[in-house]
Amino acid sequence: MNRENFKIALAGNPNTGKTSLFNALTGMNQRVGNYPGITVEKKIGYFKIDKNTKAELIDLPGTYSLNPSSLDEEVVLKVLTDSKKEDYPDALVFVADATNLKRNLYFFSQLNDLGIPTVLALNMVDLVERKGIKIDIDKLSEELNSPVIFLNARKGIGIDDLKEKLSKLKHVEKSNAVDLYKISPKFIPQIKEALSEDNDYIAWVKAVQKTIPQFLLEEEKEAIKLCISKYNINVERLKIKETISRYQYVSNILKKVVTENKKDDITLTGKIDKILTHKFLGYIIFFSIMMFLFQAIYSWASIPMDFIDSSFSSLASYLNKNLPSGPISALISEGVVPGIGGIAIFIPQIAILFAFISIMEDTGYMSRVVFIMDKLMRKFGMSGKSIVPLMSGMACAVPAIMSTRTINNWKERLITIFITPFITCAARLPVYSIIIALIIPNETVLGFFNIQGLVLMAMYLIGFASALVSAYIANKIVKIKGRSSFIIEMPSYKMPYYKNVGLDIIEKTKAFIFDAGKIILTISVILWVLASYGPNDKIKNAENIVKLEHPNLEGTSLDKKITSFKLENSYIGYFGHFIEPAIKPLGYDWKIGIALISSLAAREVFVGTMATIYSVGSSNDGDGVTVMKRMQSEINPETGKEMYSYAVGWSLLIFYAFAMQCMSTIAIVKRETNSWKWPIIQTVYMTGLAYILSFIVYQLLK
């Protein structure tokens, strides 16, 4: 076997510990991309098998068989059946749940028939012992004609054994688990010839699908259609025969290698499930966990947030004082630093959010959430699987919408795609945090509940409620028929693995910061230029004009009046005033209007924009005042009262709760629906709703 550019693929059923093994082998040496031509996430890492062999490891999407029912599952079929593609592996590591070998070996036997050298890694060996199951792996290896190891990926047990087996792995001629010629004697030779394929099972699995795989070449699709038609093949019947034969094969092996003593089963999973999936207690516990999450986001993150905020303010002040005067220095101290600081301050809150979501997934609790929510979701035209994209939407709508591919029914999937942007994402968190801090006092009630945390939770609930109402309306309007099914596996409860949680937090926080950072930095520079220059000489002659109009002003008051005059007469000032009539009914001034427009690209840009505007608009006294304090001291020139009043604050919160302000989300909706129709409808509906509701809120509260 060629050991140069050695590629290994991780395959297996969902929830078998593939991710734990991937993290254990690659550590921080991993990256995330997409498979060529599609938006399915592709995780790649690197590790050393021995001193001389470095391997590339691809973590394939979890699936139960080579009969895909979603785009993610089809990726596995595509990667493992086309040896000419760059992702085709030299070897496979199949991670199996050792407590459920029958179902896992079904998929393994399919992969074994593909002819790729494979190591079978039996994970969760600790649970095997507790359940009283004994597996003879030497006998199992002999029956499967493949290396077999015990593994505890979380504790790193079996990793060295796995590497040793991989280092000695080689091609071995094997007989197929299922005799396909016995199932259909004429079809196999004909389909192999039609597809120019040597391997019996690769030809079979490409042809015997509910729908012909999209990744095949057009001539291959035509060849399959012609072959099926010519020999009058009933594909479904062939699949049933294969399934029966394959399970018979697996059962015969298990009789030889597995012994069970059910009296030794002391697992608590069943007992815990009776509570966490209870028809009343299940919802109460889930709601309580969510409430604790939002309290934690505010309480635990406040100290590091204050530190980051003051650090960036001090840095901007230091640069303002010490850099030589000039446009570049002003750009750095008034544009770049405040813009980046405006997003860096929210790293602690975002990390806490991702930590909670990762722990829920790693412990197995997320599967229970999917189960208990199925009944509720069906009333709104969705399935329990929709809760995964909706929960993922708390991080970012883009991967959340991509994850809807696991929903088989197109109508349920379309509705989930349509409503996911209503869920409060990480990009909304900075906007909510700064506005809530401006209008809601930082106090506690009942000795524990932080009021700001309760308001934040209310915003998340508003997002979830609006998503359900919109789903209900969409379910009544959208006329698409299709069969719906819901199957979910309940993995055993596990303690969260610190490495999985840690890597997940780092990876997702880094992605958010860098993705948002690029946009914010670009927009901060543009905004600074637009705020520092104007279409006439008024900025250049600002001091003389202000002194002439206000002869009695002096000192700090004069400086503030001059900087305010410059901002109003800049390009951005003129643009803000141009759109002000449209947003004034919502309680917004031209400065907020600029932030609304700039955050069309991404919601979190609102904070960076306000930081830039108020830094440019402040007097250059180098006092290190934070953006928050500048916004709190902002006065409405018409009323003489504070600009960010209770009414304006709630109007802004409602606007950002409903408005579709994310170009990436629009793009991914277009890609997933393969049409501009749905993103346009979605954008018009959400933004129109945001304007109307913000108008009502402001008019009621002002």
Side-chain angles (χ1 to χ4, degrees), residues 10 18-26 30 43-45 57 59:
L10 270 182
K18 278 193 318 102
T19 301
S20 295
L21 179 59
F22 184 80
N23 289 336
L25 287 170
T26 63
Q30 54 180 263
K43 286 184 75 174
I44 298 175
L57 187 65
D59 187 12

Side-chain angles (χ1 to χ4, degrees), residues 610-645:
M610 299 308 278
T612 303
I613 290 174
Y614 282 100
S615 292
V616 174
S618 67
S619 57
N620 295 325
D621 47 12
D623 54 3
V625 175
T626 65
V627 175
M628 179 81 74
K629 290 180 180 174
R630 285 178 178 137
M631 291 176 73
Q632 282 174 332
S633 63
E634 180 75 354
I635 299 297
N636 186 327
E638 293 184 5
T639 64
K641 297 179 180 177
E642 57 185 359
M643 181 62 219
Y644 293 94
S645 64

Side-chain angles (χ1 to χ4, degrees), residues 21 46 48 76 144 155 161 206 226 279 284 287 312 381 423 465 495 512 565 606 663 668:
L21 179 59
Y46 301 89
K48 278 198 164 185
V76 180
L144 297 173
K155 296 181 179 177
D161 198 13
K206 282 182 178 178
L226 188 64
K279 58 182 178 181
I284 293 172
F287 186 79
F312 272 90
I423 300 300
M495 288 297 291
F512 173 80
F565 179 86
F606 173 86
M663 295 297 183
I668 201 67

Side-chain angles (χ1 to χ4, degrees), residues 462-489:
I462 287 172
F464 192 70
S466 58
L468 290 183
V469 171
S470 300
Y472 184 81
I473 296 170
N475 188 36
K476 298 294 180 188
I477 295 175
V478 177
K479 303 296 180 187
I480 300 174
K481 293 183 179 179
R483 288 191 305 172
S484 176
S485 60
F486 175 68
I487 301 172
I488 184 157
E489 180 187 1

